[in-house]
Amino acid sequence: MISKEVLAERYEGRHVVRLTIESGEFTVRLLNLGAILEDVVVPSRKGRISVVWKMPEVLQNITSPHYGQVIGRFANRIAKGRFSLNGTTFHLEQNNNGNALHGGQSDFGLHMWNVLPFDEQGDSVTLCYDSPDGDGGMPGNLFVTVTYTISSDGKLTLAYTATSDEDTPVNLTNHTYFNLSGGGSILDDEVQLSCPEMLEVDDQLIPTGKIRVVADTVYDFQIPKTIRKDMAGTPINGYDYCYVIGKEHRWPQSFGCLYDPKSGIEMHMRTTLPAVQFYTGNGLSGGVNAAGAGRNEGVCFETQSYPDAPNHPGFPSCIVKKGETLRTVTEYRFSVR
């Protein structure tokens, strides 16, 4: 069942709308601001709890650490904020140590989307966004949709499409911070990632172009372990790295699981995409801009194409060709162990 609430808050000249999808014991809340996944409520050993970080006021999402946002056109980093395509060099906003990160001010998560008609008795909502030619320095008029679905057995699906009238890089993801206890540290959560490789990065987290094998390193999560276990051995005392899932698939493939021993909730993950950015909330400040969330109190699994792919011919292509439609799917399935 789906309900719609028009809020008093306005942004970009329009009212913010909250959409609530309820399916069995599971509840999902969305905003047309940033196509934000505002809340996810699931069963735990001790009752239903919210398992994502959210802002107390909807307009605070503009200054949040990307809570629940759909990031575009290009999630993650592009080195020096520039790339070349079809003989033309494009320049982007440099908002991260001289590099481009998450699109800067053109980030889709900072702007208003449209809500497409939906069935009030259904379990899916689709939002869409028009990104004009030159948006954030990117070529082509791009039309994007994201469909959120929550099933009665706890499967949350995010299905994206993107179509452009010019060749353009596209890397869409969702930047939800999960906390399967509803709050507190995530360091004792167990993570399993079926990813034998990761992208090597420099000290600014820009890919070097090399692929690293993770076996027998602090980055290896092929066998489940706590986030805390080897974290101190990483250069950043945490994780903010892109793991290689494999080639893109037509149907979602399993790539990992997050388990919280306190709540008993586990979250199995599948995607059609070739990579996932595993981020342990190292930049969460504990301040009002993060709704009080402190360092390592939220964890992200941002399924995506490779960061900086436009500058690495050896990486899988992130270019959506003129007139073609990109389709990707990511699933998070919640259960109680």
Side-chain angles (χ1 to χ4, degrees):
M1 182 176 294
I2 303 170
S3 60
K4 176 181 176 181
E5 180 185 5
V6 179
L7 305 180
E9 291 85 352
R10 296 173 63 91
Y11 189 69
E12 295 182 335
R14 297 161 54 191
H15 282 283
V16 178
V17 171
R18 176 180 287 125
L19 300 130
T20 301
I21 311 174
E22 297 182 275
S23 186
E25 296 184 275
F26 301 88
T27 301
V28 165
R29 293 185 177 89
L30 315 169
L31 299 175
N32 64 339
L33 170 57
I36 287 170
L37 178 60
E38 185 188 35
D39 203 3
V40 179
V41 179
V42 307
S44 73
R45 288 182 188 143
K46 298 181 179 180
R48 300 172 75 238
I49 63 171
S50 173
V51 293
V52 303
W53 278 101
K54 57 184 178 295
M55 301 303 291
E57 304 292 338
V58 293
L59 294 185
Q60 291 176 334
N61 282 291
I62 303 305
T63 55
S64 82
H66 305 289
Y67 281 170
Q69 292 179 7
V70 171
I71 307 292
R73 285 188 193 189
F74 201 92
N76 217 316
R77 294 165 176 84
I78 294 182
K80 299 180 181 178
R82 66 173 182 254
F83 66 92
S84 295
L85 178 63
N86 299 335
T88 300
T89 298
F90 296 90
H91 297 272
L92 315 176
E93 179 185 342
Q94 297 178 342
N95 64 329
N96 182 254
N97 300 316
N99 306 301
L101 174 65
H102 294 330
Q105 291 304 304
S106 66
D107 170 19
F108 294 174
L110 301 177
H111 300 285
M112 294 291 281
W113 291 52
N114 293 314
V115 181
L116 298 184
F118 57 86
D119 178 0
E120 292 182 357
Q121 301 305 311
D123 58 6
S124 295
V125 170
T126 299
L127 301 97
C128 65
Y129 186 76
D130 282 293
S131 174
D133 181 35
D135 191 15
M138 289 287 193
N141 296 290
L142 184 73
F143 179 73
V144 173
T145 71
V146 58
T147 300
Y148 291 96
T149 305
I150 182 68
S151 66
S152 59
D153 62 353
K155 182 172 70 174
L156 172 62
T157 303
L158 286 65
Y160 303 86
T161 71
T163 307
S164 177
D165 61 2
E166 297 291 343
D167 294 358
T168 191
V170 175
N171 189 19
L172 304 173
T173 195
N174 182 282
H175 208 298
T176 292
Y177 288 75
F178 293 99
N179 186 307
L180 300 187
S181 285
S185 174
I186 48 89
L187 293 181
D188 293 316
D189 285 9
E190 295 177 5
V191 171
Q192 185 269 327
L193 294 173
S194 304
C195 302
E197 297 175 324
M198 62 181 288
L199 301 191
E200 181 182 86
V201 294
D202 64 17
D203 58 2
Q204 294 184 352
L205 301 180
I206 299 294
T208 65
K210 297 180 180 179
I211 307 296
R212 293 186 58 177
V213 174
V214 301
D216 301 319
T217 74
V218 296
Y219 306 103
D220 189 359
F221 285 88
Q222 294 177 92
I223 296 174
K225 67 179 181 182
T226 64
I227 294 171
R228 181 193 303 277
K229 185 174 187 297
D230 295 319
M231 193 175 74
T234 67
I236 59 175
N237 192 27
Y239 296 91
D240 190 6
Y241 300 102
C242 188
Y243 283 75
V244 175
I245 296 172
K247 65 179 181 179
E248 292 189 39
H249 296 273
R250 184 175 180 182
W251 305 108
Q253 304 293 308
S254 176
F255 71 87
C257 180
L258 174 68
Y259 171 65
D260 187 317
K262 298 184 291 295
S263 67
I265 297 172
E266 59 183 357
M267 182 177 77
H268 288 270
M269 300 172 284
R270 291 158 42 99
T271 191
T272 60
L273 285 157
V276 58
Q277 188 81 10
F278 172 46
Y279 176 53
T280 52
N282 317 314
L284 293 176
S285 64
V288 295
N289 286 355
R295 183 182 175 91
N296 305 135
E297 292 189 348
V299 57
C300 303
F301 297 91
E302 305 159 56
T303 55
Q304 58 188 261
S305 295
Y306 291 15
D308 202 30
N311 292 313
H312 294 275
F315 284 179
S317 176
C318 65
I319 305 302
V320 173
K321 295 291 186 179
K322 176 181 178 179
E324 296 183 357
T325 299
L326 171 72
R327 302 179 189 277
T328 72
V329 176
T330 295
E331 300 173 353
Y332 304 96
R333 184 186 290 274
F334 300 92
S335 59
V336 180
R337 189 188 296 180

